Amino acid sequence: MKLWDKGFSTDKKIDHFTVGNDRELDLLLAKYDVIASKAHAKMLGKVGLISEDEAKDLVKALDAIAKDIEKGKFKIEDDFEDMHSKIEFMLTEKLGDTGKKIHSARSRNDQVLVAMQLYLKDELTEIKSQVKVLFDLLIKLADKHKSVLLPGYTHLQIAMPSSFGLWFSAYAESLVDDLYFVQAAHKVADQNPLGSAAGYGSSFPIDRSFTTAEMEFATQKYNVVAAQMGRGKVEKATAFGISSVAATLSKMAMDICLYMSQNFDFISFPNELTTGSSIMPHKKNPDVFELIRAKCNKIQAVPNQLIMIMNNLPSGYHRDLQLVKEVIVPALQDMHACLEMMTFSLKEIKVNKSILEDPKYDYLFSVDTLNELVKSGMPFRDAYKTMGKAIENGNFKPKRDIDHIHEGSLGNLCLEQIKEKMEKVLA
């Protein structure tokens, strides 16, 4: 069954190629098509395109379908092109001609748009919640380990003293930046496209303000052509949002992989969070973090995938846009999994409290030792040369009792201020 069925069949190869994996993906989206269909049915009754009784019957039948979806009983057999055709078939099977009326004043185009935007709103809200949980853990770890020093690197060369407090809270504050992008994507998705039909509106006297309020959208996508042009654009905005989160997680996963190696030995995890080798009995591999790194790097490629699908398309609907679903949905699933596993694993992290006792880290303190000469009155350039000669001649004696007090330094992490930034972006 197809919503565009005119009484003749297409070749089975054409069906297979054009439907793709829509049925599988639509199982995730069917809940949202039901929500939108309920709002649409109520609106049709309100404006008199169907009777109030017909509207109530449709809503009741849609509620029953929603329960099947929630219980995992909803299926999209090969006889149906997608969730839209299956749901309309179920309504018609139960209500007869009343079920056939549900498609009045809408197109599959705005059905897809509104279901996807409702889905993306929920997904982005859940990602914000997961990011906040990870943020809270990082702030807690930063406070707990704020006095434990850690080598800082530039060019992967020993540079200056850092701390676990700085390291954990750096990633916490980076997540605040990521949520700016996620919030922007949510704002783009939070515009009701239902009523744009095939992209040019309808001659029916529909009430788009009613469906906007009914589905709890913040506003409408008023211009019907702009609403249609939002297909793919909303997914792309979402992709940019989650790719920002993914970049932060990927970088932290890389740090963890380095810091776990015997050459660094900065951190460790319990055996149950690592994996072994098939032939080397000593191995404790950071497979979880390597997979987070790889999955998050895949997510960062998603915006470009969507750009390449949509690039140079003129206004109006084109079948190319069907493919954005199979790109964005798996990316969102990977994003949820990576956030969950990063939080789950970091709860068990163990830090090495005596890293800087190793003499190879003495040069970390060259800048702080140099700064003492400047504080005593020596011009900076002269102090730099003096310190350089001492290092070259092997006479360098590090000043280890460092005192960093400015905002954001290892002695003044500003954790409360970072927490305030997070609360503001979530508000």
Short mmCIF file of all heavy atoms in Angstrom, two decimals, residues 204-258:
data_model
loop_
_atom_site.label_atom_id
_atom_site.label_comp_id
_atom_site.label_asym_id
_atom_site.label_seq_id
_atom_site.Cartn_x
_atom_site.Cartn_y
_atom_site.Cartn_z
N PHE A 204 -7.68 24.07 1.72
CA PHE A 204 -8.55 23.83 2.87
C PHE A 204 -8.33 24.91 3.93
O PHE A 204 -7.20 25.40 4.10
CB PHE A 204 -8.28 22.46 3.48
CG PHE A 204 -8.71 21.31 2.63
CD1 PHE A 204 -7.78 20.48 2.03
CD2 PHE A 204 -10.05 21.04 2.43
CE1 PHE A 204 -8.16 19.40 1.25
CE2 PHE A 204 -10.46 19.96 1.65
CZ PHE A 204 -9.51 19.14 1.06
N PRO A 205 -9.35 25.27 4.70
CA PRO A 205 -9.22 26.31 5.73
C PRO A 205 -8.63 25.76 7.04
O PRO A 205 -9.26 25.78 8.10
CB PRO A 205 -10.67 26.78 5.92
CG PRO A 205 -11.48 25.53 5.69
CD PRO A 205 -10.76 24.79 4.58
N ILE A 206 -7.43 25.27 6.96
CA ILE A 206 -6.82 24.63 8.13
C ILE A 206 -6.38 25.67 9.17
O ILE A 206 -6.22 26.85 8.85
CB ILE A 206 -5.62 23.76 7.72
CG1 ILE A 206 -4.55 24.59 6.99
CG2 ILE A 206 -6.08 22.59 6.85
CD1 ILE A 206 -3.28 23.82 6.67
N ASP A 207 -6.16 25.21 10.39
CA ASP A 207 -5.75 26.07 11.50
C ASP A 207 -4.38 25.61 11.99
O ASP A 207 -4.25 24.73 12.82
CB ASP A 207 -6.78 25.99 12.63
CG ASP A 207 -6.50 27.00 13.75
OD1 ASP A 207 -5.37 27.54 13.81
OD2 ASP A 207 -7.42 27.23 14.56
N ARG A 208 -3.35 26.21 11.45
CA ARG A 208 -1.98 25.79 11.78
C ARG A 208 -1.57 26.23 13.19
O ARG A 208 -0.73 25.58 13.82
CB ARG A 208 -0.99 26.33 10.74
CG ARG A 208 -1.20 25.76 9.34
CD ARG A 208 -0.09 26.17 8.41
NE ARG A 208 1.17 25.58 8.87
CZ ARG A 208 2.36 26.11 8.61
NH1 ARG A 208 2.47 27.25 7.94
NH2 ARG A 208 3.46 25.52 9.04
N SER A 209 -2.16 27.31 13.67
CA SER A 209 -1.86 27.74 15.04
C SER A 209 -2.35 26.69 16.04
O SER A 209 -1.70 26.44 17.07
CB SER A 209 -2.53 29.08 15.35
OG SER A 209 -1.97 30.11 14.56
N PHE A 210 -3.48 26.05 15.73
CA PHE A 210 -4.02 25.01 16.61
C PHE A 210 -3.07 23.83 16.70
O PHE A 210 -2.76 23.35 17.80
CB PHE A 210 -5.39 24.56 16.09
CG PHE A 210 -5.98 23.42 16.89
CD1 PHE A 210 -6.70 23.66 18.04
CD2 PHE A 210 -5.78 22.09 16.49
CE1 PHE A 210 -7.23 22.61 18.79
CE2 PHE A 210 -6.30 21.04 17.23
CZ PHE A 210 -7.02 21.30 18.39
N THR A 211 -2.61 23.33 15.55
CA THR A 211 -1.71 22.17 15.59
C THR A 211 -0.37 22.52 16.22
O THR A 211 0.26 21.69 16.87
CB THR A 211 -1.49 21.58 14.18
OG1 THR A 211 -0.96 22.60 13.31
CG2 THR A 211 -2.78 21.04 13.60
N THR A 212 0.07 23.76 16.04
CA THR A 212 1.32 24.20 16.66
C THR A 212 1.23 24.10 18.18
O THR A 212 2.13 23.57 18.84
CB THR A 212 1.64 25.65 16.25
OG1 THR A 212 1.79 25.71 14.82
CG2 THR A 212 2.92 26.15 16.91
N ALA A 213 0.14 24.60 18.74
CA ALA A 213 -0.07 24.54 20.19
C ALA A 213 -0.28 23.10 20.65
O ALA A 213 0.23 22.68 21.69
CB ALA A 213 -1.25 25.42 20.59
N GLU A 214 -1.03 22.33 19.86
CA GLU A 214 -1.36 20.95 20.23
C GLU A 214 -0.10 20.08 20.34
O GLU A 214 0.01 19.23 21.22
CB GLU A 214 -2.32 20.36 19.18
CG GLU A 214 -2.93 19.04 19.56
CD GLU A 214 -3.97 19.14 20.67
OE1 GLU A 214 -4.50 20.25 20.91
OE2 GLU A 214 -4.26 18.10 21.28
N MET A 215 0.86 20.31 19.45
CA MET A 215 2.10 19.51 19.45
C MET A 215 3.22 20.16 20.25
O MET A 215 4.33 19.66 20.29
CB MET A 215 2.55 19.25 18.02
CG MET A 215 1.63 18.34 17.24
SD MET A 215 2.23 17.99 15.56
CE MET A 215 1.87 19.55 14.73
N GLU A 216 2.91 21.31 20.86
CA GLU A 216 3.85 22.02 21.73
C GLU A 216 5.11 22.47 20.99
O GLU A 216 6.22 22.40 21.51
CB GLU A 216 4.22 21.16 22.95
CG GLU A 216 3.01 20.83 23.83
CD GLU A 216 3.38 20.04 25.07
OE1 GLU A 216 4.54 19.56 25.17
OE2 GLU A 216 2.52 19.89 25.96
N PHE A 217 4.92 22.95 19.78
CA PHE A 217 6.00 23.64 19.08
C PHE A 217 6.05 25.08 19.58
O PHE A 217 5.03 25.67 19.91
CB PHE A 217 5.76 23.64 17.57
CG PHE A 217 6.16 22.38 16.86
CD1 PHE A 217 5.20 21.45 16.48
CD2 PHE A 217 7.49 22.12 16.57
CE1 PHE A 217 5.55 20.28 15.82
CE2 PHE A 217 7.87 20.95 15.92
CZ PHE A 217 6.90 20.03 15.55
N ALA A 218 7.24 25.66 19.59
CA ALA A 218 7.40 27.04 20.05
C ALA A 218 6.76 28.03 19.07
O ALA A 218 6.25 29.07 19.48
CB ALA A 218 8.88 27.37 20.24
N THR A 219 6.81 27.67 17.78
CA THR A 219 6.27 28.57 16.76
C THR A 219 6.00 27.74 15.50
O THR A 219 6.23 26.54 15.48
CB THR A 219 7.26 29.72 16.44
OG1 THR A 219 6.64 30.64 15.54
CG2 THR A 219 8.55 29.21 15.85
N GLN A 220 5.48 28.40 14.47
CA GLN A 220 5.30 27.76 13.17
C GLN A 220 6.49 28.04 12.27
O GLN A 220 7.20 29.03 12.44
CB GLN A 220 4.08 28.32 12.45
CG GLN A 220 2.74 28.00 13.04
CD GLN A 220 1.63 28.59 12.18
OE1 GLN A 220 1.66 28.50 10.96
NE2 GLN A 220 0.65 29.21 12.83
N LYS A 221 6.68 27.19 11.30
CA LYS A 221 7.44 27.58 10.12
C LYS A 221 6.39 28.15 9.18
O LYS A 221 5.66 27.41 8.51
CB LYS A 221 8.14 26.36 9.50
CG LYS A 221 9.22 26.72 8.50
CD LYS A 221 10.45 27.28 9.20
CE LYS A 221 11.60 27.44 8.21
NZ LYS A 221 12.80 27.90 8.90
N TYR A 222 6.24 29.47 9.18
CA TYR A 222 5.08 30.10 8.56
C TYR A 222 5.02 29.91 7.05
O TYR A 222 4.02 29.46 6.51
CB TYR A 222 5.05 31.60 8.90
CG TYR A 222 4.69 31.87 10.34
CD1 TYR A 222 5.68 32.16 11.28
CD2 TYR A 222 3.38 31.79 10.77
CE1 TYR A 222 5.37 32.39 12.61
CE2 TYR A 222 3.05 32.02 12.11
CZ TYR A 222 4.05 32.32 13.02
OH TYR A 222 3.72 32.54 14.34
N ASN A 223 6.07 30.26 6.37
CA ASN A 223 6.07 30.17 4.92
C ASN A 223 6.11 28.71 4.51
O ASN A 223 7.01 27.97 4.91
CB ASN A 223 7.28 30.92 4.36
CG ASN A 223 7.31 30.96 2.86
OD1 ASN A 223 7.47 29.93 2.21
ND2 ASN A 223 7.16 32.14 2.29
N VAL A 224 5.13 28.26 3.72
CA VAL A 224 5.02 26.83 3.41
C VAL A 224 6.20 26.32 2.57
O VAL A 224 6.62 25.17 2.70
CB VAL A 224 3.68 26.52 2.71
CG1 VAL A 224 2.53 26.69 3.68
CG2 VAL A 224 3.48 27.38 1.45
N VAL A 225 6.74 27.18 1.71
CA VAL A 225 7.92 26.79 0.94
C VAL A 225 9.14 26.68 1.86
O VAL A 225 9.95 25.75 1.76
CB VAL A 225 8.20 27.77 -0.22
CG1 VAL A 225 9.47 27.39 -0.97
CG2 VAL A 225 7.01 27.82 -1.18
N ALA A 226 9.26 27.63 2.78
CA ALA A 226 10.36 27.57 3.76
C ALA A 226 10.26 26.32 4.62
O ALA A 226 11.28 25.70 4.97
CB ALA A 226 10.35 28.81 4.64
N ALA A 227 9.01 25.93 4.96
CA ALA A 227 8.82 24.70 5.75
C ALA A 227 9.35 23.50 4.99
O ALA A 227 10.04 22.65 5.55
CB ALA A 227 7.34 24.52 6.09
N GLN A 228 9.02 23.41 3.70
CA GLN A 228 9.51 22.30 2.89
C GLN A 228 11.03 22.34 2.75
O GLN A 228 11.71 21.31 2.78
CB GLN A 228 8.86 22.33 1.51
CG GLN A 228 9.30 21.20 0.59
CD GLN A 228 9.02 19.84 1.19
OE1 GLN A 228 7.88 19.49 1.46
NE2 GLN A 228 10.06 19.05 1.42
N MET A 229 11.59 23.55 2.61
CA MET A 229 13.04 23.68 2.51
C MET A 229 13.74 23.31 3.82
O MET A 229 14.94 23.09 3.85
CB MET A 229 13.43 25.09 2.08
CG MET A 229 13.08 25.40 0.64
SD MET A 229 13.89 26.89 -0.02
CE MET A 229 13.26 28.16 1.08
N GLY A 230 12.96 23.24 4.90
CA GLY A 230 13.53 22.83 6.18
C GLY A 230 13.89 21.36 6.24
O GLY A 230 14.68 20.94 7.09
N ARG A 231 13.33 20.57 5.32
CA ARG A 231 13.67 19.15 5.31
C ARG A 231 15.13 18.97 4.90
O ARG A 231 15.57 19.44 3.85
CB ARG A 231 12.76 18.39 4.34
CG ARG A 231 12.94 16.89 4.46
CD ARG A 231 11.80 16.15 3.80
NE ARG A 231 12.00 14.71 3.92
CZ ARG A 231 11.24 13.79 3.32
NH1 ARG A 231 10.21 14.19 2.59
NH2 ARG A 231 11.47 12.51 3.47
N GLY A 232 15.87 18.33 5.75
CA GLY A 232 17.31 18.22 5.55
C GLY A 232 18.07 19.29 6.30
O GLY A 232 19.12 19.03 6.89
N LYS A 233 17.54 20.50 6.30
CA LYS A 233 18.19 21.60 7.01
C LYS A 233 18.12 21.38 8.52
O LYS A 233 19.09 21.64 9.25
CB LYS A 233 17.54 22.93 6.64
CG LYS A 233 18.26 24.15 7.17
CD LYS A 233 17.62 25.42 6.63
CE LYS A 233 18.41 26.66 7.05
NZ LYS A 233 17.84 27.90 6.49
N VAL A 234 16.96 20.91 9.00
CA VAL A 234 16.82 20.62 10.43
C VAL A 234 17.76 19.50 10.84
O VAL A 234 18.42 19.58 11.89
CB VAL A 234 15.36 20.24 10.76
CG1 VAL A 234 15.20 19.94 12.23
CG2 VAL A 234 14.41 21.36 10.35
N GLU A 235 17.84 18.47 10.00
CA GLU A 235 18.75 17.37 10.29
C GLU A 235 20.21 17.84 10.29
O GLU A 235 21.02 17.39 11.10
CB GLU A 235 18.57 16.25 9.26
CG GLU A 235 17.25 15.50 9.38
CD GLU A 235 16.11 16.13 8.60
OE1 GLU A 235 16.23 17.33 8.22
OE2 GLU A 235 15.10 15.46 8.37
N LYS A 236 20.52 18.75 9.37
CA LYS A 236 21.89 19.27 9.30
C LYS A 236 22.22 20.08 10.54
O LYS A 236 23.33 19.98 11.09
CB LYS A 236 22.07 20.11 8.03
CG LYS A 236 23.51 20.57 7.81
CD LYS A 236 23.69 21.17 6.42
CE LYS A 236 22.94 22.47 6.25
NZ LYS A 236 23.23 23.13 4.96
N ALA A 237 21.27 20.89 11.01
CA ALA A 237 21.49 21.65 12.24
C ALA A 237 21.73 20.71 13.41
O ALA A 237 22.62 20.93 14.25
CB ALA A 237 20.29 22.55 12.52
N THR A 238 20.94 19.64 13.47
CA THR A 238 21.13 18.63 14.51
C THR A 238 22.50 18.00 14.41
O THR A 238 23.18 17.78 15.42
CB THR A 238 20.03 17.55 14.39
OG1 THR A 238 18.76 18.15 14.57
CG2 THR A 238 20.23 16.45 15.42
N ALA A 239 22.92 17.70 13.18
CA ALA A 239 24.23 17.07 12.97
C ALA A 239 25.36 17.97 13.45
O ALA A 239 26.32 17.49 14.05
CB ALA A 239 24.41 16.73 11.49
N PHE A 240 25.25 19.27 13.19
CA PHE A 240 26.27 20.19 13.68
C PHE A 240 26.28 20.21 15.21
O PHE A 240 27.34 20.28 15.84
CB PHE A 240 26.05 21.60 13.12
CG PHE A 240 26.62 21.81 11.75
CD1 PHE A 240 25.79 22.05 10.66
CD2 PHE A 240 27.99 21.75 11.54
CE1 PHE A 240 26.31 22.22 9.39
CE2 PHE A 240 28.53 21.94 10.26
CZ PHE A 240 27.68 22.17 9.18
N GLY A 241 25.10 20.16 15.82
CA GLY A 241 25.03 20.15 17.28
C GLY A 241 25.70 18.95 17.88
O GLY A 241 26.55 19.06 18.78
N ILE A 242 25.35 17.75 17.39
CA ILE A 242 25.92 16.55 17.98
C ILE A 242 27.38 16.36 17.58
O ILE A 242 28.16 15.76 18.32
CB ILE A 242 25.09 15.29 17.66
CG1 ILE A 242 25.08 14.97 16.17
CG2 ILE A 242 23.68 15.44 18.20
CD1 ILE A 242 24.40 13.65 15.83
N SER A 243 27.77 16.91 16.43
CA SER A 243 29.18 16.79 16.04
C SER A 243 30.07 17.61 16.96
O SER A 243 31.24 17.27 17.19
CB SER A 243 29.39 17.22 14.58
OG SER A 243 29.21 18.61 14.41
N SER A 244 29.53 18.70 17.51
CA SER A 244 30.29 19.50 18.47
C SER A 244 30.51 18.71 19.76
O SER A 244 31.62 18.66 20.30
CB SER A 244 29.56 20.81 18.78
OG SER A 244 30.34 21.64 19.60
N VAL A 245 29.46 18.06 20.25
CA VAL A 245 29.59 17.19 21.42
C VAL A 245 30.58 16.06 21.12
O VAL A 245 31.44 15.73 21.93
CB VAL A 245 28.23 16.59 21.83
CG1 VAL A 245 28.39 15.65 23.03
CG2 VAL A 245 27.23 17.70 22.17
N ALA A 246 30.45 15.48 19.93
CA ALA A 246 31.31 14.37 19.54
C ALA A 246 32.78 14.77 19.51
O ALA A 246 33.66 13.98 19.89
CB ALA A 246 30.88 13.83 18.18
N ALA A 247 33.06 15.99 19.08
CA ALA A 247 34.45 16.45 19.03
C ALA A 247 35.06 16.50 20.42
O ALA A 247 36.23 16.13 20.62
CB ALA A 247 34.51 17.83 18.37
N THR A 248 34.28 16.95 21.39
CA THR A 248 34.77 17.00 22.78
C THR A 248 35.01 15.60 23.32
O THR A 248 36.05 15.32 23.92
CB THR A 248 33.75 17.75 23.67
OG1 THR A 248 33.63 19.09 23.20
CG2 THR A 248 34.20 17.77 25.12
N LEU A 249 34.07 14.69 23.08
CA LEU A 249 34.22 13.32 23.57
C LEU A 249 35.38 12.61 22.89
O LEU A 249 36.12 11.85 23.52
CB LEU A 249 32.93 12.53 23.35
CG LEU A 249 31.97 12.48 24.54
CD1 LEU A 249 31.54 13.88 24.97
CD2 LEU A 249 30.75 11.63 24.22
N SER A 250 35.55 12.85 21.60
CA SER A 250 36.65 12.20 20.87
C SER A 250 38.00 12.65 21.40
O SER A 250 38.91 11.83 21.58
CB SER A 250 36.53 12.53 19.38
OG SER A 250 37.60 11.99 18.66
N LYS A 251 38.13 13.94 21.65
CA LYS A 251 39.40 14.47 22.18
C LYS A 251 39.69 13.89 23.57
O LYS A 251 40.82 13.49 23.87
CB LYS A 251 39.37 16.00 22.21
CG LYS A 251 40.71 16.64 22.61
CD LYS A 251 40.60 18.15 22.65
CE LYS A 251 40.51 18.73 21.26
NZ LYS A 251 41.80 18.60 20.51
N MET A 252 38.67 13.84 24.41
CA MET A 252 38.88 13.29 25.75
C MET A 252 39.21 11.80 25.69
O MET A 252 40.07 11.32 26.44
CB MET A 252 37.66 13.52 26.63
CG MET A 252 37.91 13.12 28.08
SD MET A 252 36.64 13.66 29.22
CE MET A 252 37.56 13.58 30.77
N ALA A 253 38.54 11.08 24.80
CA ALA A 253 38.84 9.66 24.63
C ALA A 253 40.29 9.46 24.21
O ALA A 253 40.96 8.52 24.67
CB ALA A 253 37.89 9.04 23.61
N MET A 254 40.78 10.34 23.34
CA MET A 254 42.18 10.25 22.91
C MET A 254 43.12 10.50 24.08
O MET A 254 44.12 9.79 24.27
CB MET A 254 42.44 11.26 21.78
CG MET A 254 43.88 11.23 21.26
SD MET A 254 44.28 9.63 20.53
CE MET A 254 46.07 9.71 20.56
N ASP A 255 42.83 11.53 24.87
CA ASP A 255 43.64 11.80 26.07
C ASP A 255 43.68 10.56 26.97
O ASP A 255 44.74 10.16 27.47
CB ASP A 255 43.04 12.96 26.87
CG ASP A 255 43.45 14.32 26.36
OD1 ASP A 255 44.23 14.38 25.39
OD2 ASP A 255 42.99 15.32 26.92
N ILE A 256 42.53 9.95 27.18
CA ILE A 256 42.44 8.79 28.07
C ILE A 256 43.27 7.64 27.54
O ILE A 256 43.99 6.96 28.29
CB ILE A 256 40.97 8.38 28.27
CG1 ILE A 256 40.24 9.45 29.11
CG2 ILE A 256 40.86 7.02 28.95
CD1 ILE A 256 38.74 9.27 29.19
N CYS A 257 43.19 7.40 26.22
CA CYS A 257 44.00 6.32 25.62
C CYS A 257 45.49 6.56 25.84
O CYS A 257 46.24 5.64 26.15
CB CYS A 257 43.69 6.19 24.14
SG CYS A 257 42.03 5.55 23.77
N LEU A 258 45.93 7.81 25.68
CA LEU A 258 47.34 8.15 25.94
C LEU A 258 47.69 7.99 27.41
O LEU A 258 48.70 7.36 27.76
CB LEU A 258 47.62 9.59 25.51
CG LEU A 258 47.80 9.89 24.03
CD1 LEU A 258 47.96 11.39 23.82
CD2 LEU A 258 49.01 9.16 23.45
#
